[in-house]
Amino acid sequence: MAAAVPVLVHLSHPSSPAPQVVYYLATPSAYLPGLSYDGAAIENISPYSRDGHLLHDVLLYSGAGTPLDLPTGAPDPQRRVVRTKAGKPVLNAFPIRYFEPGTKRVAHPDASPPVRIPRLATPALRRR
């Protein structure tokens, strides 16, 4: 996304005593691949149910139906990658978990950052 930024420029010509406004196009200096929030890269997402339970292998999509993939970058042998039945990696499954070194076991599957889950007053949506 780019923005036009007005800048006052004083011209030293006698016929132009007042400063003039010149517009410069400002663009972000860096592009962050993957997900970001307020310009910082997101490394993981911890989804919770309305009653405060940490959810596992939640698939996230944009409003247009695009998977919100968190790229792996260099392959990490410790990352537990969720896969389809055909073996294809699913990179929009959260939270991301990591195996204990040298194993295929996640020692603390319910580990998450400290969060305070608000008590919700809005009734839960009914499923059909």
mmCIF file of all heavy atoms in Angstrom, residues 6-34:
data_model
loop_
_atom_site.group_PDB
_atom_site.id
_atom_site.type_symbol
_atom_site.label_atom_id
_atom_site.label_comp_id
_atom_site.label_asym_id
_atom_site.label_seq_id
_atom_site.Cartn_x
_atom_site.Cartn_y
_atom_site.Cartn_z
ATOM 1 N N PRO A 6 2.238 14.931 1.749
ATOM 2 C CA PRO A 6 2.514 16.318 1.377
ATOM 3 C C PRO A 6 3.756 16.826 2.102
ATOM 4 O O PRO A 6 3.951 16.569 3.278
ATOM 5 C CB PRO A 6 1.263 17.073 1.827
ATOM 6 C CG PRO A 6 0.673 16.225 2.890
ATOM 7 C CD PRO A 6 1.069 14.805 2.599
ATOM 8 N N VAL A 7 4.606 17.542 1.370
ATOM 9 C CA VAL A 7 5.824 18.119 1.931
ATOM 10 C C VAL A 7 5.895 19.565 1.485
ATOM 11 O O VAL A 7 5.736 19.866 0.302
ATOM 12 C CB VAL A 7 7.080 17.343 1.441
ATOM 13 C CG1 VAL A 7 8.341 17.988 1.990
ATOM 14 C CG2 VAL A 7 6.996 15.883 1.819
ATOM 15 N N LEU A 8 6.134 20.465 2.440
ATOM 16 C CA LEU A 8 6.285 21.879 2.090
ATOM 17 C C LEU A 8 7.670 22.104 1.505
ATOM 18 O O LEU A 8 8.667 21.699 2.082
ATOM 19 C CB LEU A 8 6.102 22.765 3.322
ATOM 20 C CG LEU A 8 4.682 22.896 3.851
ATOM 21 C CD1 LEU A 8 4.679 23.711 5.135
ATOM 22 C CD2 LEU A 8 3.800 23.560 2.819
ATOM 23 N N VAL A 9 7.717 22.759 0.370
ATOM 24 C CA VAL A 9 8.986 23.051 -0.293
ATOM 25 C C VAL A 9 9.051 24.557 -0.511
ATOM 26 O O VAL A 9 8.143 25.148 -1.087
ATOM 27 C CB VAL A 9 9.093 22.312 -1.647
ATOM 28 C CG1 VAL A 9 10.368 22.695 -2.354
ATOM 29 C CG2 VAL A 9 9.005 20.823 -1.438
ATOM 30 N N HIS A 10 10.113 25.186 -0.028
ATOM 31 C CA HIS A 10 10.296 26.630 -0.225
ATOM 32 C C HIS A 10 11.157 26.833 -1.466
ATOM 33 O O HIS A 10 12.264 26.323 -1.560
ATOM 34 C CB HIS A 10 10.974 27.258 0.980
ATOM 35 C CG HIS A 10 11.216 28.728 0.796
ATOM 36 N ND1 HIS A 10 10.186 29.638 0.816
ATOM 37 C CD2 HIS A 10 12.340 29.432 0.572
ATOM 38 C CE1 HIS A 10 10.685 30.844 0.613
ATOM 39 N NE2 HIS A 10 11.989 30.733 0.464
ATOM 40 N N LEU A 11 10.598 27.534 -2.418
ATOM 41 C CA LEU A 11 11.334 27.815 -3.639
ATOM 42 C C LEU A 11 11.971 29.188 -3.500
ATOM 43 O O LEU A 11 11.325 30.145 -3.081
ATOM 44 C CB LEU A 11 10.399 27.765 -4.845
ATOM 45 C CG LEU A 11 9.721 26.416 -5.071
ATOM 46 C CD1 LEU A 11 8.736 26.530 -6.224
ATOM 47 C CD2 LEU A 11 10.739 25.339 -5.349
ATOM 48 N N SER A 12 13.232 29.311 -3.844
ATOM 49 C CA SER A 12 13.957 30.579 -3.644
ATOM 50 C C SER A 12 13.868 31.498 -4.851
ATOM 51 O O SER A 12 14.825 32.172 -5.186
ATOM 52 C CB SER A 12 15.422 30.280 -3.304
ATOM 53 O OG SER A 12 16.008 29.544 -4.341
ATOM 54 N N HIS A 13 12.725 31.532 -5.494
ATOM 55 C CA HIS A 13 12.509 32.442 -6.615
ATOM 56 C C HIS A 13 11.720 33.650 -6.105
ATOM 57 O O HIS A 13 10.765 33.492 -5.350
ATOM 58 C CB HIS A 13 11.724 31.753 -7.741
ATOM 59 C CG HIS A 13 12.443 30.572 -8.321
ATOM 60 N ND1 HIS A 13 13.587 30.699 -9.062
ATOM 61 C CD2 HIS A 13 12.177 29.250 -8.247
ATOM 62 C CE1 HIS A 13 13.987 29.487 -9.436
ATOM 63 N NE2 HIS A 13 13.155 28.602 -8.938
ATOM 64 N N PRO A 14 12.094 34.862 -6.511
ATOM 65 C CA PRO A 14 11.374 36.044 -6.045
ATOM 66 C C PRO A 14 9.896 36.048 -6.429
ATOM 67 O O PRO A 14 9.069 36.615 -5.753
ATOM 68 C CB PRO A 14 12.101 37.216 -6.707
ATOM 69 C CG PRO A 14 13.254 36.659 -7.436
ATOM 70 C CD PRO A 14 13.203 35.175 -7.374
ATOM 71 N N SER A 15 9.546 35.392 -7.518
ATOM 72 C CA SER A 15 8.150 35.384 -7.942
ATOM 73 C C SER A 15 7.303 34.378 -7.150
ATOM 74 O O SER A 15 6.102 34.341 -7.298
ATOM 75 C CB SER A 15 8.055 35.090 -9.437
ATOM 76 O OG SER A 15 8.574 33.797 -9.683
ATOM 77 N N SER A 16 7.912 33.555 -6.311
ATOM 78 C CA SER A 16 7.195 32.551 -5.529
ATOM 79 C C SER A 16 7.512 32.725 -4.046
ATOM 80 O O SER A 16 8.254 31.938 -3.486
ATOM 81 C CB SER A 16 7.597 31.135 -5.947
ATOM 82 O OG SER A 16 7.586 30.990 -7.322
ATOM 83 N N PRO A 17 6.965 33.751 -3.394
ATOM 84 C CA PRO A 17 7.315 33.988 -2.003
ATOM 85 C C PRO A 17 6.747 32.941 -1.043
ATOM 86 O O PRO A 17 7.309 32.699 0.007
ATOM 87 C CB PRO A 17 6.730 35.360 -1.713
ATOM 88 C CG PRO A 17 5.610 35.509 -2.687
ATOM 89 C CD PRO A 17 6.004 34.719 -3.893
ATOM 90 N N ALA A 18 5.632 32.304 -1.372
ATOM 91 C CA ALA A 18 5.019 31.338 -0.461
ATOM 92 C C ALA A 18 5.537 29.933 -0.748
ATOM 93 O O ALA A 18 5.809 29.587 -1.891
ATOM 94 C CB ALA A 18 3.509 31.373 -0.634
ATOM 95 N N PRO A 19 5.684 29.121 0.296
ATOM 96 C CA PRO A 19 6.086 27.725 0.071
ATOM 97 C C PRO A 19 5.017 27.000 -0.738
ATOM 98 O O PRO A 19 3.845 27.343 -0.699
ATOM 99 C CB PRO A 19 6.174 27.124 1.472
ATOM 100 C CG PRO A 19 6.079 28.259 2.418
ATOM 101 C CD PRO A 19 5.506 29.423 1.702
ATOM 102 N N GLN A 20 5.420 26.002 -1.464
ATOM 103 C CA GLN A 20 4.500 25.190 -2.246
ATOM 104 C C GLN A 20 4.437 23.793 -1.651
ATOM 105 O O GLN A 20 5.375 23.337 -1.010
ATOM 106 C CB GLN A 20 4.964 25.112 -3.700
ATOM 107 C CG GLN A 20 4.916 26.428 -4.420
ATOM 108 C CD GLN A 20 5.287 26.268 -5.877
ATOM 109 O OE1 GLN A 20 5.678 25.200 -6.317
ATOM 110 N NE2 GLN A 20 5.149 27.350 -6.625
ATOM 111 N N VAL A 21 3.324 23.152 -1.872
ATOM 112 C CA VAL A 21 3.164 21.777 -1.403
ATOM 113 C C VAL A 21 3.481 20.842 -2.558
ATOM 114 O O VAL A 21 2.944 20.970 -3.650
ATOM 115 C CB VAL A 21 1.728 21.526 -0.895
ATOM 116 C CG1 VAL A 21 1.559 20.075 -0.488
ATOM 117 C CG2 VAL A 21 1.410 22.451 0.258
ATOM 118 N N VAL A 22 4.379 19.914 -2.306
ATOM 119 C CA VAL A 22 4.757 18.897 -3.284
ATOM 120 C C VAL A 22 4.396 17.552 -2.676
ATOM 121 O O VAL A 22 4.611 17.322 -1.490
ATOM 122 C CB VAL A 22 6.276 18.964 -3.594
ATOM 123 C CG1 VAL A 22 6.676 17.863 -4.548
ATOM 124 C CG2 VAL A 22 6.635 20.324 -4.137
ATOM 125 N N TYR A 23 3.843 16.651 -3.468
ATOM 126 C CA TYR A 23 3.454 15.341 -2.968
ATOM 127 C C TYR A 23 4.492 14.303 -3.386
ATOM 128 O O TYR A 23 4.885 14.229 -4.532
ATOM 129 C CB TYR A 23 2.076 14.940 -3.509
ATOM 130 C CG TYR A 23 0.966 15.746 -2.878
ATOM 131 C CD1 TYR A 23 0.559 16.953 -3.419
ATOM 132 C CD2 TYR A 23 0.350 15.285 -1.724
ATOM 133 C CE1 TYR A 23 -0.446 17.687 -2.829
ATOM 134 C CE2 TYR A 23 -0.659 16.024 -1.123
ATOM 135 C CZ TYR A 23 -1.050 17.213 -1.674
ATOM 136 O OH TYR A 23 -2.044 17.939 -1.089
ATOM 137 N N TYR A 24 4.941 13.516 -2.403
ATOM 138 C CA TYR A 24 5.852 12.411 -2.652
ATOM 139 C C TYR A 24 5.108 11.118 -2.365
ATOM 140 O O TYR A 24 4.278 11.053 -1.470
ATOM 141 C CB TYR A 24 7.084 12.499 -1.746
ATOM 142 C CG TYR A 24 8.017 13.616 -2.134
ATOM 143 C CD1 TYR A 24 7.925 14.874 -1.532
ATOM 144 C CD2 TYR A 24 8.971 13.414 -3.109
ATOM 145 C CE1 TYR A 24 8.768 15.897 -1.900
ATOM 146 C CE2 TYR A 24 9.822 14.438 -3.492
ATOM 147 C CZ TYR A 24 9.718 15.675 -2.878
ATOM 148 O OH TYR A 24 10.554 16.682 -3.247
ATOM 149 N N LEU A 25 5.415 10.105 -3.118
ATOM 150 C CA LEU A 25 4.776 8.813 -2.922
ATOM 151 C C LEU A 25 5.598 8.014 -1.930
ATOM 152 O O LEU A 25 6.776 7.746 -2.157
ATOM 153 C CB LEU A 25 4.686 8.079 -4.268
ATOM 154 C CG LEU A 25 3.833 6.828 -4.288
ATOM 155 C CD1 LEU A 25 2.384 7.179 -3.932
ATOM 156 C CD2 LEU A 25 3.881 6.195 -5.645
ATOM 157 N N ALA A 26 4.976 7.684 -0.794
ATOM 158 C CA ALA A 26 5.656 6.894 0.239
ATOM 159 C C ALA A 26 5.192 5.452 0.130
ATOM 160 O O ALA A 26 4.000 5.185 0.070
ATOM 161 C CB ALA A 26 5.336 7.444 1.619
ATOM 162 N N THR A 27 6.121 4.534 0.114
ATOM 163 C CA THR A 27 5.790 3.108 0.054
ATOM 164 C C THR A 27 6.471 2.399 1.209
ATOM 165 O O THR A 27 7.494 2.860 1.728
ATOM 166 C CB THR A 27 6.261 2.479 -1.271
ATOM 167 O OG1 THR A 27 7.669 2.666 -1.389
ATOM 168 C CG2 THR A 27 5.561 3.106 -2.453
ATOM 169 N N PRO A 28 5.910 1.281 1.654
ATOM 170 C CA PRO A 28 6.574 0.536 2.723
ATOM 171 C C PRO A 28 7.984 0.136 2.296
ATOM 172 O O PRO A 28 8.220 -0.211 1.150
ATOM 173 C CB PRO A 28 5.693 -0.697 2.914
ATOM 174 C CG PRO A 28 4.384 -0.350 2.288
ATOM 175 C CD PRO A 28 4.688 0.666 1.216
ATOM 176 N N SER A 29 8.913 0.158 3.248
ATOM 177 C CA SER A 29 10.301 -0.142 2.915
ATOM 178 C C SER A 29 10.579 -1.631 2.846
ATOM 179 O O SER A 29 11.556 -2.048 2.265
ATOM 180 C CB SER A 29 11.233 0.508 3.938
ATOM 181 O OG SER A 29 10.934 0.000 5.228
ATOM 182 N N ALA A 30 9.735 -2.435 3.470
ATOM 183 C CA ALA A 30 9.995 -3.866 3.467
ATOM 184 C C ALA A 30 8.677 -4.619 3.312
ATOM 185 O O ALA A 30 7.640 -4.180 3.800
ATOM 186 C CB ALA A 30 10.682 -4.286 4.752
ATOM 187 N N TYR A 31 8.733 -5.750 2.654
ATOM 188 C CA TYR A 31 7.568 -6.607 2.499
ATOM 189 C C TYR A 31 7.785 -7.827 3.369
ATOM 190 O O TYR A 31 8.825 -8.477 3.297
ATOM 191 C CB TYR A 31 7.405 -7.013 1.035
ATOM 192 C CG TYR A 31 6.409 -8.121 0.847
ATOM 193 C CD1 TYR A 31 5.049 -7.859 0.948
ATOM 194 C CD2 TYR A 31 6.815 -9.416 0.601
ATOM 195 C CE1 TYR A 31 4.116 -8.869 0.801
ATOM 196 C CE2 TYR A 31 5.893 -10.430 0.454
ATOM 197 C CZ TYR A 31 4.545 -10.149 0.551
ATOM 198 O OH TYR A 31 3.635 -11.150 0.409
ATOM 199 N N LEU A 32 6.814 -8.126 4.228
ATOM 200 C CA LEU A 32 6.897 -9.318 5.064
ATOM 201 C C LEU A 32 6.081 -10.430 4.429
ATOM 202 O O LEU A 32 4.861 -10.305 4.321
ATOM 203 C CB LEU A 32 6.335 -9.039 6.460
ATOM 204 C CG LEU A 32 7.128 -8.131 7.363
ATOM 205 C CD1 LEU A 32 6.354 -7.873 8.655
ATOM 206 C CD2 LEU A 32 8.471 -8.737 7.675
ATOM 207 N N PRO A 33 6.714 -11.505 3.989
ATOM 208 C CA PRO A 33 5.928 -12.618 3.466
ATOM 209 C C PRO A 33 5.193 -13.314 4.610
ATOM 210 O O PRO A 33 5.631 -13.268 5.752
ATOM 211 C CB PRO A 33 6.982 -13.533 2.843
ATOM 212 C CG PRO A 33 8.244 -13.201 3.548
ATOM 213 C CD PRO A 33 8.136 -11.753 3.946
ATOM 214 N N GLY A 34 4.069 -13.918 4.305
ATOM 215 C CA GLY A 34 3.318 -14.619 5.338
ATOM 216 C C GLY A 34 2.390 -13.682 6.082
ATOM 217 O O GLY A 34 1.973 -12.653 5.569
#
